[in-house]
Amino acid sequence: VRTLIVSDLHLGGPAGADVLRKTELSAPLLDAVRDADRVVLLGDLLELRDSAAGDALELARPFFEDLGRALSGAELVLIAGNHDHALVAPWLARKTLRQAAPLGVEQRVSIDSSPILRKLAQWVSPASLEVSYPGLWVRDDVYATHGHYLDCHMGITSGERLMIALSTHMPRLRPPRRRRPSSHQSGPHHPGSAPQPHLPGPARGGPHSVDEYEAAIGSLYARLDTHEALRRFAYSRVPARLGMLLAGLSHEQLPRAERAAMGEVAARLGLGNAYVVFGHTHRAGPLAGEDPSRWQGRDGARLINCGCWLEHALHSRGGAPSALCVMVEGNEPPVLVGIEVPLAAAPKG
Ligand SMILES: [Mn+2]
């Protein structure tokens, strides 16, 4: 079985970021899809924040129709990220309302829970669409998730992360927490003991389960989807620069901090030493020649970042420009694969 994992397409996003609308550039991806038994779209597939959802969807429609034809019998699994969290928000809301069992790391999301998912399913037919959240066990030892949970352990290094820090440390603004599953407990918390105070910093504070991650980010994402001013603040440089200064982080140290944060998420979700494939930061790796120990999480998770399908191609210097994806085949370790892209067709600027 060959699984192809592609992340951060941001379809329908601002001009230039959404290059897959150009058929010359989607062709290499569709070719790669034809050779796969299963395709995982690893979140931030659609840009549902920056434009009215309807616009992004209509812009992305031809791509989904092409994708459906290219799949020809292969499985398609969609995982939501922060920019398209709206895809799973209605399903999550229903779960929370029912006070169902704690959310696991891999859950099938019903297509009927969202009108957008129903549309996507129609467009990719006859291929069948499955939605998994917050991630998917690709294999017993390979877990794939978008990676937006890492923002909960990054401190104030962007406007969006500042807002997450605020919602994490202001308990009264959060919905009530459900009991966490005992297998996911870590740290000094014991059943029956008094709740531990939330301490800042990745070591103790912040979420420890899928429910708690969703409590920290869910309502913020919903607000970002609907408030343009908030969105502008989330992406502005001022809070990012100020936060980095206060955290004593240089721009060069940010990727390392992001990997540590993803390793922290893997540890808190109980993923052990699994391979953990993620995207979100658009920083692909480990790249050829890079020390693999730099990509190891606190609990031994082996991290792999798919990067952003075309951003890498647009910024690659020297050699043939390539887009990146992760391939999981047989019992081999997952590998980061470059796929050649006709860069001349890329939009300028
Ligand atoms: Mn993201």
Side-chain angles (χ1 to χ4, degrees), residues 252-265:
E252 289 71 37
Q253 289 168 317
L254 199 57
R256 189 178 54 84
E258 286 169 345
R259 290 196 298 270
M262 193 60 213
E264 188 63 31
V265 173

Side-chain angles (χ1 to χ4, degrees), residues 85 126 147 178 196 270:
H85 193 258
R178 276 176 268 159
Q196 298 291 311

Side-chain angles (χ1 to χ4, degrees), residues 32 51 53 104 107 128 153 181 225 250 283 330:
S51 62
Q107 307 198 97
S128 70
H153 307 299
D225 287 351
S250 70
R283 272 188 256 272

Side-chain angles (χ1 to χ4, degrees), residues 246-324:
L246 290 172
L249 272 178
S250 70
H251 198 72
E252 289 71 37
Q253 289 168 317
L254 199 57
R256 189 178 54 84
E258 286 169 345
R259 290 196 298 270
M262 193 60 213
E264 188 63 31
V265 173
R268 290 176 185 219
L269 294 183
L271 303 178
N273 69 349
Y275 292 101
V276 177
V277 184
F278 70 112
H280 182 55
T281 63
H282 297 196
R283 272 188 256 272
L287 298 171
E290 208 177 343
D291 178 3
S293 72
R294 298 176 60 178
W295 287 80
Q296 194 137 85
R298 164 162 80 74
D299 254 8
R302 291 162 284 181
L303 308 175
I304 300 160
N305 191 312
C306 300
C308 170
W309 170 255
L310 278 161
E311 205 172 83
H312 184 80
L314 296 174
H315 296 151
S316 51
R317 291 181 194 91
S322 60
L324 290 172

Side-chain angles (χ1 to χ4, degrees), residues 72-96:
S72 63
E75 252 180 87
L76 176 65
V77 187
L78 192 157
I79 294 168
N82 49 330
H83 287 254
D84 51 11
H85 193 258
L87 293 174
V88 295
W91 178 85
L92 281 166
R94 212 183 292 173
K95 278 274 217 189
T96 310

Side-chain angles (χ1 to χ4, degrees), residues 6-188:
V6 183
S7 195
D8 289 82
L9 297 180
H10 290 275
L11 296 173
D18 176 18
V19 280
L20 283 185
R21 270 184 279 157
K22 293 204 167 264
T23 49
E24 314 91 277
L25 290 168
S26 58
L29 174 57
L30 295 171
D31 281 343
V33 163
R34 282 185 195 99
D35 295 333
D37 302 298
R38 176 166 54 170
V39 173
V40 178
L41 298 173
L42 197 58
D44 286 3
L45 164 67
L46 286 161
E47 186 50 77
L48 296 181
R49 277 184 180 176
D50 288 342
S51 62
D55 295 352
L57 273 181
E58 277 311 313
L59 289 169
R61 180 176 182 160
F63 171 73
F64 283 105
E65 290 170 346
D66 291 345
L67 180 64
R69 279 188 285 271
L71 281 162
S72 63
E75 252 180 87
L76 176 65
V77 187
L78 192 157
I79 294 168
N82 49 330
H83 287 254
D84 51 11
H85 193 258
L87 293 174
V88 295
W91 178 85
L92 281 166
R94 212 183 292 173
K95 278 274 217 189
T96 310
L97 206 67
R98 284 191 193 144
Q99 295 276 306
L103 296 168
V105 296
E106 177 191 71
Q107 307 198 97
R108 282 299 138 107
V109 176
S110 130
I111 302 292
D112 282 328
S113 64
S114 144
I116 307 179
L117 290 179
R118 274 204 299 270
K119 270 191 188 174
L120 297 183
Q122 261 172 27
W123 294 343
V124 299
S125 76
S128 70
L129 175 71
E130 294 207 52
V131 181
S132 194
Y133 192 78
L136 174 80
W137 283 106
V138 175
R139 204 171 65 191
D140 283 354
D141 60 339
V142 182
Y143 180 73
T145 185
H146 178 65
H148 48 303
Y149 287 176
L150 74 84
D151 285 340
C152 296
H153 307 299
M154 283 301 297
I156 306 167
T157 46
S158 73
E160 185 166 347
R161 286 165 181 167
L162 165 61
M163 291 189 227
I164 291 170
L166 287 174
S167 74
T168 304
H169 293 292
M170 285 183 184
R172 271 186 304 169
L173 293 180
R174 285 184 302 173
R177 267 198 248 153
R178 276 176 268 159
R179 210 158 42 85
R180 60 173 83 139
S182 55
S183 61
H184 289 164
Q185 280 187 4
S186 60

